[in-house]
């Protein structure tokens, strides 16, 4: 991997989220940095060239995890290592701890944050490259070029959203709080994304993701996260699945939410699962879920792994997770 030196920048260290938002509002070239495990490699590759970095590392209380009547609030500054090992959180929402535990490596997780993971740039084998590599290939539509090397006839970027936390949180119907100089607003996490690899986040340039709410109603759901990856460790998901389930007294599906990452330009919640409610989790139901997933994922040639494999592994991973969750904890 070829890494270049980083362009000079000014570093700001706000003490509050409001100060961070004010710095973003005042300086259009400013970018937020949290753990820096995604942004810094992108700076070294010349993919991004901000003149001001607003470091969130000194924001007081930014990493708080607080249980309330509404649910569990997770500060955007909470480190992934803590998420992976917080036993109270893992008992309530195992999918979150499971997702955090399989992100990057232990060193990354000790500094990487929830906010950085949810606001991760999309990825593509033609994009996550050094400056000279991208220049030799005339750049691409996402940055500096005219053509998408993945789908040259189309006019959009298909880079894949590959953050692991989003599907776990989406399965649990999480919401996010965004702060700017205009105030705070709360939106479903699902609304924070759009299907565009070049601009996958809907949040405004001057907004800070302050915290995430996992609603109280999600606490009654059995949930899990699993990813398929080329290597067994330190690797982005080829497909990652978050699944949350409730069964009625007869063992029939009472609630089901399945979300995916790694296959589309945004993390997606699989639609059509309501039609499966009231049924037993048997082979026919699992086949129906597999079809829903296969239809709604759209992996493109953004990784060295074939798209069709990613489509199939997404469906099979979702089927296995649901089957295991419906069977209950291993006796
Ligand atoms: C070798 C390697 C392997 C990796 N493997 C994985 C993996 O398996 N799964 C995975 O999901 N990721 C992986 N990553 C990417 C990255 O380490 C993680 O996604 C990490 O969680 C990013 O968090 P961060 O705090 O370091 O983000 P940063 O790099 O600090 O920021 C990432 C982006 O989010 C923005 N941002 C940060 N905080 C906020 C906020 N509060 N509000 C608004 N915007 C914000 C930044 O401006 C930037 O655009 C890997 C990275 C490396 C280098
Ligand atoms: S999908 Fe196309 S435009 Fe987007 S990063 Fe890859 S090559 Fe570039």
């Amino acid at each position: 991997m070829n890494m270049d030196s980083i362009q000079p920048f000014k570093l700001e260290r706000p003490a509050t989220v409001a100060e961070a938002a004010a710095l973003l509002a005042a300086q259009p070239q400013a970018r937020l940095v949290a753990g820096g495990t995604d942004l810094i490699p992108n700076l070294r590759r010349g993919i991004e060239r901000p003149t001001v970095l607003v470091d969130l590392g000194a924001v007081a209380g930014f990493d708080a995890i607080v249980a309330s009547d509404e649910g569990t609030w997770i500060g955007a500054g909470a480190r992934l290592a803590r998420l992976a090992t917080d036993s109270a959180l893992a008992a309530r929402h195992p999918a979150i701890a499971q997702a955090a535990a399989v992100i990057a490596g232990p060193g990354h997780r000790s500094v990487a944050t929830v906010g950085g993971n949810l606001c991760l740039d999309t990825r593509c084998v033609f994009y996550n490259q050094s400056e000279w590599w991208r220049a030799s290939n005339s750049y691409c539509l996402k940055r500096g070029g005219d053509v998408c090397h993945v789908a040259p006839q189309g006019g959009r970027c298909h880079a894949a959203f590959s953050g692991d936390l989003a599907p776990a949180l989406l399965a649990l119907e999480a919401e996010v709080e965004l702060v700017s100089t205009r105030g705070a607003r709360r939106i479903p996490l699902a609304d924070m994304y759009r299907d565009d690899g070049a601009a996958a986040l809907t949040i405004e340039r001057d907004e800070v993701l302050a915290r995430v709410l996992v609603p109280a109603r999600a606490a009654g759901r059995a949930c899990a996260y699993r990813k398929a990856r080329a290597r067994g460790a330190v690797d982005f998901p080829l497909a990652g699945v978050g699944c949350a389930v409730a069964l009625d007294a007869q063992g029939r599906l009472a609630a089901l939410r399945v979300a995916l990452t790694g296959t589309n330009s945004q993390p997606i919640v699989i639609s059509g699962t309501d039609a499966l409610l009231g049924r037993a989790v048997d082979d026919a139901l699992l086949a129906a879920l597999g079809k829903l997933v296969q239809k709604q994922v759209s992996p493109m040639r953004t990784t060295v792994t074939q798209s069709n494999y990613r489509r199939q592994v997404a469906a099979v991973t979702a089927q296995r997770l649901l089957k295991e969750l419906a069977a209950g904890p291993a006796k």
Side-chain angles (χ1 to χ4, degrees):
M1 186 192 311
N2 189 307
M3 291 276 185
D4 301 320
S5 54
I6 299 177
Q7 300 281 309
F9 57 82
K10 185 176 169 204
L11 187 68
E12 302 277 10
R13 298 257 302 162
T16 64
V17 173
E19 275 177 40
L23 285 162
L24 289 183
Q27 306 177 82
Q29 294 304 313
R31 285 293 305 275
L32 294 174
V33 62
T37 59
D38 185 54
L39 188 69
I40 301 300
N42 285 351
L43 300 188
R44 295 200 67 186
R45 289 180 168 132
I47 287 173
E48 312 247 12
R49 298 178 191 278
T51 51
V52 181
L53 282 188
V54 179
D55 175 7
L56 295 167
V59 171
F62 200 44
D63 59 352
I65 299 179
V66 180
S68 76
D69 291 347
E70 281 189 289
T72 306
W73 286 99
I74 303 173
R79 312 262 181 221
L80 300 182
R82 172 161 171 223
L83 235 54
T85 53
D86 184 313
S87 51
L89 188 65
R92 241 172 295 143
H93 307 298
I96 299 176
Q98 290 165 10
V102 292
I103 293 170
H108 301 104
R109 293 195 291 273
S110 68
V111 291
T113 65
V114 169
N117 193 261
L118 293 176
C119 297
L120 200 60
D121 193 7
T122 53
R123 299 184 63 79
C124 172
V125 71
F126 293 99
Y127 176 71
N128 297 100
Q129 301 287 354
S130 64
E131 170 66 25
W132 67 261
W133 192 101
R134 287 178 296 113
S136 319
N137 289 280
S138 310
Y139 298 98
C140 75
L141 196 62
K142 180 164 179 179
R143 196 85 79 228
D146 303 323
V147 176
C148 168
H149 304 307
V150 166
Q153 311 304 329
R156 61 156 282 198
C157 167
H158 297 273
F161 182 85
S162 305
D164 282 294
L165 272 186
L169 289 166
L170 286 169
L172 297 167
E173 300 180 59
E175 298 173 25
V176 288
E177 186 180 82
L178 304 165
V179 173
S180 70
T181 50
R182 298 174 295 286
R185 67 184 177 114
R186 202 159 121 184
I187 60 169
L189 174 62
D191 292 352
M192 207 177 84
Y193 300 103
R194 65 164 81 87
D195 194 23
D196 179 350
L201 293 179
T202 62
I203 65 178
E204 301 291 335
R205 191 206 59 78
D206 62 350
E207 283 183 312
V208 182
L209 168 54
R211 49 186 189 152
V212 179
L213 174 67
V214 186
R217 65 180 172 280
R221 310 258 163 93
C223 65
Y225 178 77
R226 190 163 306 157
K227 75 199 260 191
R229 50 188 167 180
R231 292 179 302 207
V234 198
D235 213 354
F236 286 92
L238 296 171
V241 183
C243 184
V245 181
L247 300 177
D248 66 17
Q250 284 73 42
R252 290 182 299 243
L253 263 190
L256 173 64
R257 211 167 141 94
V258 178
L260 277 103
T261 187
T263 55
N264 296 51
S265 291
Q266 62 178 350
I268 56 168
V269 178
I270 296 299
S271 60
T273 52
D274 280 357
L276 306 178
L277 301 185
R279 291 172 52 181
V281 180
D282 54 15
D283 287 350
L285 183 134
L286 293 172
L289 174 64
K291 271 191 193 149
L292 286 175
V293 173
Q294 290 224 16
K295 265 194 189 152
Q296 291 171 50
V297 297
S298 51
M300 301 287 284
R301 207 168 45 91
T302 54
T303 70
V304 291
T305 305
Q306 283 188 354
S307 306
N308 192 41
Y309 175 81
R310 287 158 65 200
R311 182 186 301 279
Q312 294 196 28
V313 84
V316 169
T317 305
Q319 289 169 317
R320 285 183 185 158
L321 269 192
L322 174 55
K323 191 175 177 180
E324 287 169 23
L325 286 170
K331 308 255 172 357

